[in-house]
Each structure stands twice: as C-alpha cells, then as structure tokens.
Amino acid sequence: MSSRRRFRALIGAPIALLLLGACGDAATDSVQVGYRGTALEQNYDHGDLKAKFAQVKIPAPPPPAGESPPGPLPWQNVQVLNDISVAEFNRTMIAMSTWVAGTGNCAYCHNIANLAADTLPNGKPLYAKIVARRMLQMTRNINGNYAQHVKNTGVTCYTCHMGKPLPNGLWFYSSQTDYLRHYLDRDGARVITQGVTPTNDNRSSVKAAEWTHALMISQSRSLGVNCTYCHNTRQFASWQEAPPARVTAYHGILMLRDVNRNYLAPLQPVYPAVRLGAMGDAPKAQCVTCHNGAYKPLYGAQMAKDFPALWGRADWNGVPFPGLGAPRGGAADSAAAMPAPATPATPAPAPVAPKRSSARPVPPNSAVGAAGGTN
C-alpha cells in the first residue's frame, strides 16, 4: 500500500467514526437469555430504548393514606373496596381518575349528584362505573393469582390504560383475529401432531399452525423482542431448552384467557353499542394491551406496591395488607367467592355480581382477616 493510501486510511477511519456517532446513540447491548453456545440472546439498541423509555410517563402516587376516623365506613353501594380504610379508599379513587380518565374527572364513572348511584340523573346506567368495578376485581385477581406472570411488579389500571379511557390493543371477533379468539379466548396453542389423519382427538392442522405462528409474531411485537426471548430456535417445542421467559409467557396466556373469558367478555350486556365489535362482542385484551411494545409493561415500574387496594394478596414484598381486619357489610361471606384462575371447563361468572369478592382467599388469621373485600 502506498504512503498516500495509508494516509487516507488513517484519516478516514476517525472521520467515519465521527459520522457514525453523529447518527445518535448507536450502541447495542447483547443480553444472553439462555444456555451458552445456543445463540439465545436479545439485542437492544440504546437509541431505540431511550426513545421508547422517554414515552413512558409514570404518574406520581398520591401521598400515603393517613389515619382514618373511627367507626363504620361511610360509603354506600361499595362492592369491592370495602376492606380498606377511608383514607386508602380516597387516594385509590383519586389515582384511578387520573389513570383512566386522564384528567382526574370523577364524573367519568360517577353521578356527581349521587356518588353511590349506578345510574345517571336521567336514569341511564353508568356503564363506566359498572365496568370499573369489575376491572378492580380483575386487577386483584391478576395480582393475587398470577404472580408467576406479574411477579412482584404487579399491575394497576395505569398499566393498560396509561391515562386513556381505552387501552391499546383491544380486539373483537373477526376473520382477522381468529388466532386471538382460539388461543387467548379458548384453547391451548399446540400444533404438534402424532398422526396424519385428522380426528376428534387430533385437531392439528395447517390452519392451527398458521394461527400459532400469528400468535407468536403478535407476542414478539407486543414485547419488542425476537423469538429467542422465549424459545431455543433449534427446538421450538422443547421446554427444557427454552429460556425461563417461556414459562412466564405461558402463565401470561393463561392469565389472558381468564381475563377475557371471565372478566371482559361477560361485560357485553353492560356496554353501549358503540363499545362493541361488529359481531356484538365486548372488547378483549391481548399481550400488547399491557406491554405496549416493552418487554416489561412500563419497563418494570413498580406502581402496584403503592396501592394496597389493588393487591389481591395478604402482603406485598413482606408488607402486610393494611386491611380493616374485621368484616363490614358482609364482605367476609363474599371473600370465598373470589374466582380462581380459569380452566376450560369453568363457566364465566356474571359480569356484575353484587357483593362479589375480588380479593384472594386468605387464612382467617392473616393480615387481611375475614374482610376479603368486595368496590
């Protein structure tokens, strides 16, 4: 190489690095998620992550609940949050009005002239309040019964709503959502067959394979990850060779089936027509509804720990549930009615069951005591 070429090479390399640096934060992290030597890794672009992280706004929690006045609870027609103090109830309501309505507007769910009413002054039902009541039960069920998916991060209304009345990713029955209907609203996503001829016992088909592939792509995009986040691509079916995230995702699928079948779909009679799909079905959730393109919803922000009213369990990270410790208004009788994680044979409960508990059943001598809770 001539001296002129060597000089150009020496000068050109720093210039190229400067030009690349001007394009932004181009650094990439490779994170190993599986066994060594199996290429199970995720690549995260710094600039892309920073841009997405900047879009996540976590609202500050209200001040901790102070002392409540002694005596019976002053509320009327409270069917879920009747196992917490007056102060905790008020701060939870304030937070929810911001999480869902976005503006702190109590009128989004309530008749301001009569907060206990389930109807407007003109007699029309307050469907948003009825739905919110069921969503509180659902949130407690998720936090209390699906720790294998939500861990100790948990969920709140803001996890999905993010300050908007309608979360992202709501879906309805159509020919474009068959894969969601079958796998997040019905059956298991399994297409491995041991036979050639279709029978009642062997329902595997090319269509089922296409639906499974569509579900996997949907989950990948919902979390902003690739296939190796949950699978070893040399053997997709193997659980032994898969990263731990596959087990977490599996419990997420079970959770979504429970949510869709036992909480969201049964609300169909409550919604006005404008909130229903073309086939008259209620809106349902999928992975992107909570994750919104992040491998952890809100990138792992732990909001639930600050709101005991949403725990659905006797303690959170060792902190006992600050319940009332004594039954009020029949809450003890309804505590045992809390729905367990759904199985295919479990019928969906009524969408608005009065005095239905949403708290996780706990021993009588626990911190929650006999007041399991039913807002």
Side-chain angles (χ1 to χ4, degrees), residues 249-280:
Y250 172 73
H251 286 283
I253 292 176
L254 296 181
M255 181 189 75
L256 274 174
R257 285 191 202 138
D258 185 10
V259 165
N260 286 332
R261 296 172 62 178
N262 294 331
Y263 291 90
L264 301 183
L267 285 170
Q268 188 270 346
V270 176
Y271 284 111
V274 69
R275 287 284 190 253
L276 301 178
M279 298 178 65

PDB file of all heavy atoms in Angstrom, residues 249-280:
ATOM      1  N   ALA A 249     -44.256 -16.381  29.929  1.00  0.00           N
ATOM      2  CA  ALA A 249     -45.201 -16.098  28.853  1.00  0.00           C
ATOM      3  C   ALA A 249     -46.378 -17.067  28.881  1.00  0.00           C
ATOM      4  O   ALA A 249     -47.525 -16.678  28.613  1.00  0.00           O
ATOM      5  CB  ALA A 249     -44.486 -16.172  27.501  1.00  0.00           C
ATOM      6  N   TYR A 250     -46.105 -18.325  29.218  1.00  0.00           N
ATOM      7  CA  TYR A 250     -47.181 -19.317  29.289  1.00  0.00           C
ATOM      8  C   TYR A 250     -48.224 -18.912  30.331  1.00  0.00           C
ATOM      9  O   TYR A 250     -49.422 -18.981  30.094  1.00  0.00           O
ATOM     10  CB  TYR A 250     -46.589 -20.686  29.620  1.00  0.00           C
ATOM     11  CG  TYR A 250     -47.629 -21.748  29.914  1.00  0.00           C
ATOM     12  CD1 TYR A 250     -48.398 -22.297  28.893  1.00  0.00           C
ATOM     13  CD2 TYR A 250     -47.845 -22.187  31.222  1.00  0.00           C
ATOM     14  CE1 TYR A 250     -49.349 -23.266  29.163  1.00  0.00           C
ATOM     15  CE2 TYR A 250     -48.789 -23.161  31.494  1.00  0.00           C
ATOM     16  CZ  TYR A 250     -49.544 -23.694  30.467  1.00  0.00           C
ATOM     17  OH  TYR A 250     -50.493 -24.640  30.734  1.00  0.00           O
ATOM     18  N   HIS A 251     -47.749 -18.462  31.491  1.00  0.00           N
ATOM     19  CA  HIS A 251     -48.693 -18.020  32.514  1.00  0.00           C
ATOM     20  C   HIS A 251     -49.415 -16.738  32.082  1.00  0.00           C
ATOM     21  O   HIS A 251     -50.542 -16.494  32.510  1.00  0.00           O
ATOM     22  CB  HIS A 251     -47.962 -17.812  33.839  1.00  0.00           C
ATOM     23  CG  HIS A 251     -47.587 -19.098  34.513  1.00  0.00           C
ATOM     24  ND1 HIS A 251     -48.496 -19.867  35.194  1.00  0.00           N
ATOM     25  CD2 HIS A 251     -46.397 -19.759  34.583  1.00  0.00           C
ATOM     26  CE1 HIS A 251     -47.891 -20.944  35.676  1.00  0.00           C
ATOM     27  NE2 HIS A 251     -46.624 -20.904  35.312  1.00  0.00           N
ATOM     28  N   GLY A 252     -48.760 -15.942  31.226  1.00  0.00           N
ATOM     29  CA  GLY A 252     -49.442 -14.779  30.674  1.00  0.00           C
ATOM     30  C   GLY A 252     -50.599 -15.172  29.770  1.00  0.00           C
ATOM     31  O   GLY A 252     -51.656 -14.530  29.773  1.00  0.00           O
ATOM     32  N   ILE A 253     -50.418 -16.240  28.991  1.00  0.00           N
ATOM     33  CA  ILE A 253     -51.507 -16.731  28.141  1.00  0.00           C
ATOM     34  C   ILE A 253     -52.660 -17.239  29.000  1.00  0.00           C
ATOM     35  O   ILE A 253     -53.831 -16.952  28.726  1.00  0.00           O
ATOM     36  CB  ILE A 253     -50.994 -17.834  27.201  1.00  0.00           C
ATOM     37  CG1 ILE A 253     -50.016 -17.245  26.172  1.00  0.00           C
ATOM     38  CG2 ILE A 253     -52.149 -18.523  26.485  1.00  0.00           C
ATOM     39  CD1 ILE A 253     -49.385 -18.279  25.265  1.00  0.00           C
ATOM     40  N   LEU A 254     -52.336 -18.000  30.063  1.00  0.00           N
ATOM     41  CA  LEU A 254     -53.386 -18.467  30.969  1.00  0.00           C
ATOM     42  C   LEU A 254     -54.115 -17.285  31.602  1.00  0.00           C
ATOM     43  O   LEU A 254     -55.346 -17.301  31.749  1.00  0.00           O
ATOM     44  CB  LEU A 254     -52.773 -19.349  32.061  1.00  0.00           C
ATOM     45  CG  LEU A 254     -52.117 -20.658  31.622  1.00  0.00           C
ATOM     46  CD1 LEU A 254     -51.580 -21.402  32.842  1.00  0.00           C
ATOM     47  CD2 LEU A 254     -53.084 -21.537  30.845  1.00  0.00           C
ATOM     48  N   MET A 255     -53.369 -16.271  31.978  1.00  0.00           N
ATOM     49  CA  MET A 255     -53.964 -15.091  32.583  1.00  0.00           C
ATOM     50  C   MET A 255     -54.903 -14.390  31.614  1.00  0.00           C
ATOM     51  O   MET A 255     -56.019 -13.987  31.982  1.00  0.00           O
ATOM     52  CB  MET A 255     -52.860 -14.137  33.034  1.00  0.00           C
ATOM     53  CG  MET A 255     -53.357 -12.864  33.713  1.00  0.00           C
ATOM     54  SD  MET A 255     -52.003 -11.688  33.984  1.00  0.00           S
ATOM     55  CE  MET A 255     -51.778 -11.069  32.296  1.00  0.00           C
ATOM     56  N   LEU A 256     -54.473 -14.246  30.355  1.00  0.00           N
ATOM     57  CA  LEU A 256     -55.313 -13.571  29.372  1.00  0.00           C
ATOM     58  C   LEU A 256     -56.601 -14.345  29.106  1.00  0.00           C
ATOM     59  O   LEU A 256     -57.661 -13.745  28.898  1.00  0.00           O
ATOM     60  CB  LEU A 256     -54.539 -13.364  28.072  1.00  0.00           C
ATOM     61  CG  LEU A 256     -53.683 -12.100  28.004  1.00  0.00           C
ATOM     62  CD1 LEU A 256     -52.846 -12.086  26.738  1.00  0.00           C
ATOM     63  CD2 LEU A 256     -54.558 -10.854  28.074  1.00  0.00           C
ATOM     64  N   ARG A 257     -56.513 -15.674  29.087  1.00  0.00           N
ATOM     65  CA  ARG A 257     -57.743 -16.455  28.912  1.00  0.00           C
ATOM     66  C   ARG A 257     -58.716 -16.199  30.059  1.00  0.00           C
ATOM     67  O   ARG A 257     -59.928 -16.045  29.840  1.00  0.00           O
ATOM     68  CB  ARG A 257     -57.405 -17.941  28.832  1.00  0.00           C
ATOM     69  CG  ARG A 257     -56.794 -18.340  27.519  1.00  0.00           C
ATOM     70  CD  ARG A 257     -56.723 -19.854  27.400  1.00  0.00           C
ATOM     71  NE  ARG A 257     -55.700 -20.209  26.425  1.00  0.00           N
ATOM     72  CZ  ARG A 257     -54.842 -21.190  26.574  1.00  0.00           C
ATOM     73  NH1 ARG A 257     -54.859 -21.922  27.655  1.00  0.00           N
ATOM     74  NH2 ARG A 257     -53.962 -21.450  25.642  1.00  0.00           N
ATOM     75  N   ASP A 258     -58.184 -16.172  31.264  1.00  0.00           N
ATOM     76  CA  ASP A 258     -59.016 -15.887  32.428  1.00  0.00           C
ATOM     77  C   ASP A 258     -59.629 -14.491  32.311  1.00  0.00           C
ATOM     78  O   ASP A 258     -60.829 -14.294  32.514  1.00  0.00           O
ATOM     79  CB  ASP A 258     -58.158 -16.001  33.692  1.00  0.00           C
ATOM     80  CG  ASP A 258     -58.966 -15.849  34.972  1.00  0.00           C
ATOM     81  OD1 ASP A 258     -60.208 -15.838  34.904  1.00  0.00           O
ATOM     82  OD2 ASP A 258     -58.349 -15.757  36.054  1.00  0.00           O
ATOM     83  N   VAL A 259     -58.801 -13.512  31.981  1.00  0.00           N
ATOM     84  CA  VAL A 259     -59.261 -12.129  31.866  1.00  0.00           C
ATOM     85  C   VAL A 259     -60.334 -12.002  30.801  1.00  0.00           C
ATOM     86  O   VAL A 259     -61.388 -11.387  31.020  1.00  0.00           O
ATOM     87  CB  VAL A 259     -58.065 -11.204  31.568  1.00  0.00           C
ATOM     88  CG1 VAL A 259     -58.532  -9.848  31.075  1.00  0.00           C
ATOM     89  CG2 VAL A 259     -57.193 -11.041  32.804  1.00  0.00           C
ATOM     90  N   ASN A 260     -60.083 -12.568  29.625  1.00  0.00           N
ATOM     91  CA  ASN A 260     -61.031 -12.420  28.519  1.00  0.00           C
ATOM     92  C   ASN A 260     -62.331 -13.177  28.761  1.00  0.00           C
ATOM     93  O   ASN A 260     -63.423 -12.662  28.483  1.00  0.00           O
ATOM     94  CB  ASN A 260     -60.389 -12.889  27.210  1.00  0.00           C
ATOM     95  CG  ASN A 260     -59.366 -11.898  26.683  1.00  0.00           C
ATOM     96  OD1 ASN A 260     -59.455 -10.699  26.934  1.00  0.00           O
ATOM     97  ND2 ASN A 260     -58.375 -12.395  25.962  1.00  0.00           N
ATOM     98  N   ARG A 261     -62.231 -14.391  29.290  1.00  0.00           N
ATOM     99  CA  ARG A 261     -63.415 -15.234  29.420  1.00  0.00           C
ATOM    100  C   ARG A 261     -64.248 -14.906  30.648  1.00  0.00           C
ATOM    101  O   ARG A 261     -65.478 -14.997  30.607  1.00  0.00           O
ATOM    102  CB  ARG A 261     -63.006 -16.703  29.444  1.00  0.00           C
ATOM    103  CG  ARG A 261     -62.366 -17.178  28.154  1.00  0.00           C
ATOM    104  CD  ARG A 261     -61.790 -18.576  28.279  1.00  0.00           C
ATOM    105  NE  ARG A 261     -62.810 -19.567  28.570  1.00  0.00           N
ATOM    106  CZ  ARG A 261     -62.570 -20.866  28.689  1.00  0.00           C
ATOM    107  NH1 ARG A 261     -61.336 -21.314  28.553  1.00  0.00           N
ATOM    108  NH2 ARG A 261     -63.535 -21.705  28.950  1.00  0.00           N
ATOM    109  N   ASN A 262     -63.599 -14.510  31.737  1.00  0.00           N
ATOM    110  CA  ASN A 262     -64.310 -14.342  32.995  1.00  0.00           C
ATOM    111  C   ASN A 262     -64.506 -12.897  33.428  1.00  0.00           C
ATOM    112  O   ASN A 262     -65.260 -12.645  34.375  1.00  0.00           O
ATOM    113  CB  ASN A 262     -63.574 -15.097  34.110  1.00  0.00           C
ATOM    114  CG  ASN A 262     -63.617 -16.594  33.890  1.00  0.00           C
ATOM    115  OD1 ASN A 262     -64.552 -17.118  33.295  1.00  0.00           O
ATOM    116  ND2 ASN A 262     -62.589 -17.289  34.351  1.00  0.00           N
ATOM    117  N   TYR A 263     -63.839 -11.971  32.763  1.00  0.00           N
ATOM    118  CA  TYR A 263     -63.983 -10.573  33.164  1.00  0.00           C
ATOM    119  C   TYR A 263     -64.430  -9.665  32.021  1.00  0.00           C
ATOM    120  O   TYR A 263     -65.343  -8.854  32.188  1.00  0.00           O
ATOM    121  CB  TYR A 263     -62.667 -10.062  33.755  1.00  0.00           C
ATOM    122  CG  TYR A 263     -62.336 -10.696  35.087  1.00  0.00           C
ATOM    123  CD1 TYR A 263     -61.584 -11.865  35.154  1.00  0.00           C
ATOM    124  CD2 TYR A 263     -62.806 -10.156  36.269  1.00  0.00           C
ATOM    125  CE1 TYR A 263     -61.296 -12.472  36.373  1.00  0.00           C
ATOM    126  CE2 TYR A 263     -62.534 -10.752  37.499  1.00  0.00           C
ATOM    127  CZ  TYR A 263     -61.783 -11.913  37.546  1.00  0.00           C
ATOM    128  OH  TYR A 263     -61.524 -12.510  38.752  1.00  0.00           O
ATOM    129  N   LEU A 264     -63.785  -9.750  30.874  1.00  0.00           N
ATOM    130  CA  LEU A 264     -64.071  -8.810  29.790  1.00  0.00           C
ATOM    131  C   LEU A 264     -65.269  -9.224  28.943  1.00  0.00           C
ATOM    132  O   LEU A 264     -66.204  -8.436  28.761  1.00  0.00           O
ATOM    133  CB  LEU A 264     -62.831  -8.637  28.911  1.00  0.00           C
ATOM    134  CG  LEU A 264     -61.590  -8.111  29.641  1.00  0.00           C
ATOM    135  CD1 LEU A 264     -60.439  -7.899  28.659  1.00  0.00           C
ATOM    136  CD2 LEU A 264     -61.906  -6.829  30.374  1.00  0.00           C
ATOM    137  N   ALA A 265     -65.247 -10.438  28.407  1.00  0.00           N
ATOM    138  CA  ALA A 265     -66.349 -10.873  27.543  1.00  0.00           C
ATOM    139  C   ALA A 265     -67.710 -10.839  28.235  1.00  0.00           C
ATOM    140  O   ALA A 265     -68.703 -10.421  27.621  1.00  0.00           O
ATOM    141  CB  ALA A 265     -66.065 -12.268  26.989  1.00  0.00           C
ATOM    142  N   PRO A 266     -67.836 -11.251  29.509  1.00  0.00           N
ATOM    143  CA  PRO A 266     -69.145 -11.216  30.155  1.00  0.00           C
ATOM    144  C   PRO A 266     -69.707  -9.816  30.368  1.00  0.00           C
ATOM    145  O   PRO A 266     -70.877  -9.677  30.730  1.00  0.00           O
ATOM    146  CB  PRO A 266     -68.895 -11.905  31.513  1.00  0.00           C
ATOM    147  CG  PRO A 266     -67.700 -12.764  31.290  1.00  0.00           C
ATOM    148  CD  PRO A 266     -66.840 -11.978  30.350  1.00  0.00           C
ATOM    149  N   LEU A 267     -68.913  -8.763  30.142  1.00  0.00           N
ATOM    150  CA  LEU A 267     -69.412  -7.402  30.291  1.00  0.00           C
ATOM    151  C   LEU A 267     -70.198  -6.933  29.068  1.00  0.00           C
ATOM    152  O   LEU A 267     -70.675  -5.793  29.037  1.00  0.00           O
ATOM    153  CB  LEU A 267     -68.246  -6.443  30.545  1.00  0.00           C
ATOM    154  CG  LEU A 267     -67.633  -6.482  31.945  1.00  0.00           C
ATOM    155  CD1 LEU A 267     -66.342  -5.669  31.993  1.00  0.00           C
ATOM    156  CD2 LEU A 267     -68.617  -5.956  32.975  1.00  0.00           C
ATOM    157  N   GLN A 268     -70.335  -7.790  28.078  1.00  0.00           N
ATOM    158  CA  GLN A 268     -71.019  -7.411  26.840  1.00  0.00           C
ATOM    159  C   GLN A 268     -72.393  -6.777  27.070  1.00  0.00           C
ATOM    160  O   GLN A 268     -72.721  -5.748  26.463  1.00  0.00           O
ATOM    161  CB  GLN A 268     -71.122  -8.636  25.920  1.00  0.00           C
ATOM    162  CG  GLN A 268     -71.639  -8.344  24.530  1.00  0.00           C
ATOM    163  CD  GLN A 268     -73.157  -8.444  24.435  1.00  0.00           C
ATOM    164  OE1 GLN A 268     -73.799  -8.980  25.337  1.00  0.00           O
ATOM    165  NE2 GLN A 268     -73.724  -7.919  23.363  1.00  0.00           N
ATOM    166  N   PRO A 269     -73.240  -7.308  27.962  1.00  0.00           N
ATOM    167  CA  PRO A 269     -74.560  -6.669  28.156  1.00  0.00           C
ATOM    168  C   PRO A 269     -74.484  -5.286  28.796  1.00  0.00           C
ATOM    169  O   PRO A 269     -75.449  -4.516  28.708  1.00  0.00           O
ATOM    170  CB  PRO A 269     -75.277  -7.652  29.100  1.00  0.00           C
ATOM    171  CG  PRO A 269     -74.531  -8.927  29.011  1.00  0.00           C
ATOM    172  CD  PRO A 269     -73.114  -8.543  28.762  1.00  0.00           C
ATOM    173  N   VAL A 270     -73.348  -4.974  29.419  1.00  0.00           N
ATOM    174  CA  VAL A 270     -73.224  -3.693  30.120  1.00  0.00           C
ATOM    175  C   VAL A 270     -72.847  -2.565  29.168  1.00  0.00           C
ATOM    176  O   VAL A 270     -73.300  -1.427  29.329  1.00  0.00           O
ATOM    177  CB  VAL A 270     -72.161  -3.823  31.240  1.00  0.00           C
ATOM    178  CG1 VAL A 270     -71.927  -2.488  31.935  1.00  0.00           C
ATOM    179  CG2 VAL A 270     -72.576  -4.893  32.241  1.00  0.00           C
ATOM    180  N   TYR A 271     -72.057  -2.871  28.147  1.00  0.00           N
ATOM    181  CA  TYR A 271     -71.551  -1.833  27.248  1.00  0.00           C
ATOM    182  C   TYR A 271     -72.638  -1.276  26.340  1.00  0.00           C
ATOM    183  O   TYR A 271     -73.531  -2.015  25.894  1.00  0.00           O
ATOM    184  CB  TYR A 271     -70.443  -2.404  26.363  1.00  0.00           C
ATOM    185  CG  TYR A 271     -69.115  -2.603  27.040  1.00  0.00           C
ATOM    186  CD1 TYR A 271     -68.617  -3.884  27.277  1.00  0.00           C
ATOM    187  CD2 TYR A 271     -68.340  -1.520  27.423  1.00  0.00           C
ATOM    188  CE1 TYR A 271     -67.392  -4.078  27.884  1.00  0.00           C
ATOM    189  CE2 TYR A 271     -67.100  -1.711  28.030  1.00  0.00           C
ATOM    190  CZ  TYR A 271     -66.644  -2.976  28.258  1.00  0.00           C
ATOM    191  OH  TYR A 271     -65.430  -3.174  28.864  1.00  0.00           O
ATOM    192  N   PRO A 272     -72.555   0.015  25.982  1.00  0.00           N
ATOM    193  CA  PRO A 272     -73.402   0.533  24.906  1.00  0.00           C
ATOM    194  C   PRO A 272     -72.923  -0.009  23.567  1.00  0.00           C
ATOM    195  O   PRO A 272     -71.796  -0.506  23.449  1.00  0.00           O
ATOM    196  CB  PRO A 272     -73.199   2.054  25.005  1.00  0.00           C
ATOM    197  CG  PRO A 272     -71.849   2.216  25.624  1.00  0.00           C
ATOM    198  CD  PRO A 272     -71.690   1.051  26.571  1.00  0.00           C
ATOM    199  N   ALA A 273     -73.761   0.082  22.574  1.00  0.00           N
ATOM    200  CA  ALA A 273     -73.444  -0.492  21.261  1.00  0.00           C
ATOM    201  C   ALA A 273     -72.155   0.069  20.680  1.00  0.00           C
ATOM    202  O   ALA A 273     -71.422  -0.629  19.974  1.00  0.00           O
ATOM    203  CB  ALA A 273     -74.605  -0.262  20.302  1.00  0.00           C
ATOM    204  N   VAL A 274     -71.853   1.327  20.971  1.00  0.00           N
ATOM    205  CA  VAL A 274     -70.672   1.956  20.386  1.00  0.00           C
ATOM    206  C   VAL A 274     -69.384   1.314  20.888  1.00  0.00           C
ATOM    207  O   VAL A 274     -68.326   1.439  20.245  1.00  0.00           O
ATOM    208  CB  VAL A 274     -70.672   3.475  20.701  1.00  0.00           C
ATOM    209  CG1 VAL A 274     -70.435   3.727  22.187  1.00  0.00           C
ATOM    210  CG2 VAL A 274     -69.648   4.215  19.860  1.00  0.00           C
ATOM    211  N   ARG A 275     -69.439   0.610  22.000  1.00  0.00           N
ATOM    212  CA  ARG A 275     -68.245  -0.018  22.554  1.00  0.00           C
ATOM    213  C   ARG A 275     -68.091  -1.475  22.124  1.00  0.00           C
ATOM    214  O   ARG A 275     -67.121  -2.132  22.495  1.00  0.00           O
ATOM    215  CB  ARG A 275     -68.281   0.046  24.084  1.00  0.00           C
ATOM    216  CG  ARG A 275     -68.012   1.440  24.649  1.00  0.00           C
ATOM    217  CD  ARG A 275     -66.542   1.767  24.564  1.00  0.00           C
ATOM    218  NE  ARG A 275     -66.211   2.989  25.301  1.00  0.00           N
ATOM    219  CZ  ARG A 275     -65.917   4.142  24.735  1.00  0.00           C
ATOM    220  NH1 ARG A 275     -65.922   4.237  23.408  1.00  0.00           N
ATOM    221  NH2 ARG A 275     -65.612   5.192  25.474  1.00  0.00           N
ATOM    222  N   LEU A 276     -69.028  -2.001  21.350  1.00  0.00           N
ATOM    223  CA  LEU A 276     -68.998  -3.398  20.947  1.00  0.00           C
ATOM    224  C   LEU A 276     -68.411  -3.558  19.553  1.00  0.00           C
ATOM    225  O   LEU A 276     -68.364  -2.607  18.765  1.00  0.00           O
ATOM    226  CB  LEU A 276     -70.415  -3.984  20.996  1.00  0.00           C
ATOM    227  CG  LEU A 276     -71.124  -3.926  22.352  1.00  0.00           C
ATOM    228  CD1 LEU A 276     -72.529  -4.504  22.240  1.00  0.00           C
ATOM    229  CD2 LEU A 276     -70.327  -4.647  23.432  1.00  0.00           C
ATOM    230  N   GLY A 277     -67.985  -4.779  19.243  1.00  0.00           N
ATOM    231  CA  GLY A 277     -67.448  -5.069  17.928  1.00  0.00           C
ATOM    232  C   GLY A 277     -68.533  -5.304  16.900  1.00  0.00           C
ATOM    233  O   GLY A 277     -69.733  -5.272  17.201  1.00  0.00           O
ATOM    234  N   ALA A 278     -68.120  -5.591  15.663  1.00  0.00           N
ATOM    235  CA  ALA A 278     -69.060  -5.798  14.569  1.00  0.00           C
ATOM    236  C   ALA A 278     -69.964  -6.994  14.809  1.00  0.00           C
ATOM    237  O   ALA A 278     -71.096  -7.047  14.322  1.00  0.00           O
ATOM    238  CB  ALA A 278     -68.297  -5.968  13.258  1.00  0.00           C
ATOM    239  N   MET A 279     -69.489  -7.979  15.578  1.00  0.00           N
ATOM    240  CA  MET A 279     -70.286  -9.157  15.893  1.00  0.00           C
ATOM    241  C   MET A 279     -70.986  -9.034  17.239  1.00  0.00           C
ATOM    242  O   MET A 279     -71.536 -10.011  17.753  1.00  0.00           O
ATOM    243  CB  MET A 279     -69.387 -10.406  15.870  1.00  0.00           C
ATOM    244  CG  MET A 279     -68.760 -10.674  14.515  1.00  0.00           C
ATOM    245  SD  MET A 279     -67.664 -12.121  14.503  1.00  0.00           S
ATOM    246  CE  MET A 279     -68.838 -13.440  14.830  1.00  0.00           C
ATOM    247  N   GLY A 280     -70.955  -7.839  17.820  1.00  0.00           N
ATOM    248  CA  GLY A 280     -71.657  -7.603  19.064  1.00  0.00           C
ATOM    249  C   GLY A 280     -70.919  -8.071  20.301  1.00  0.00           C
ATOM    250  O   GLY A 280     -71.508  -8.141  21.381  1.00  0.00           O
TER     251      GLY A 280
END
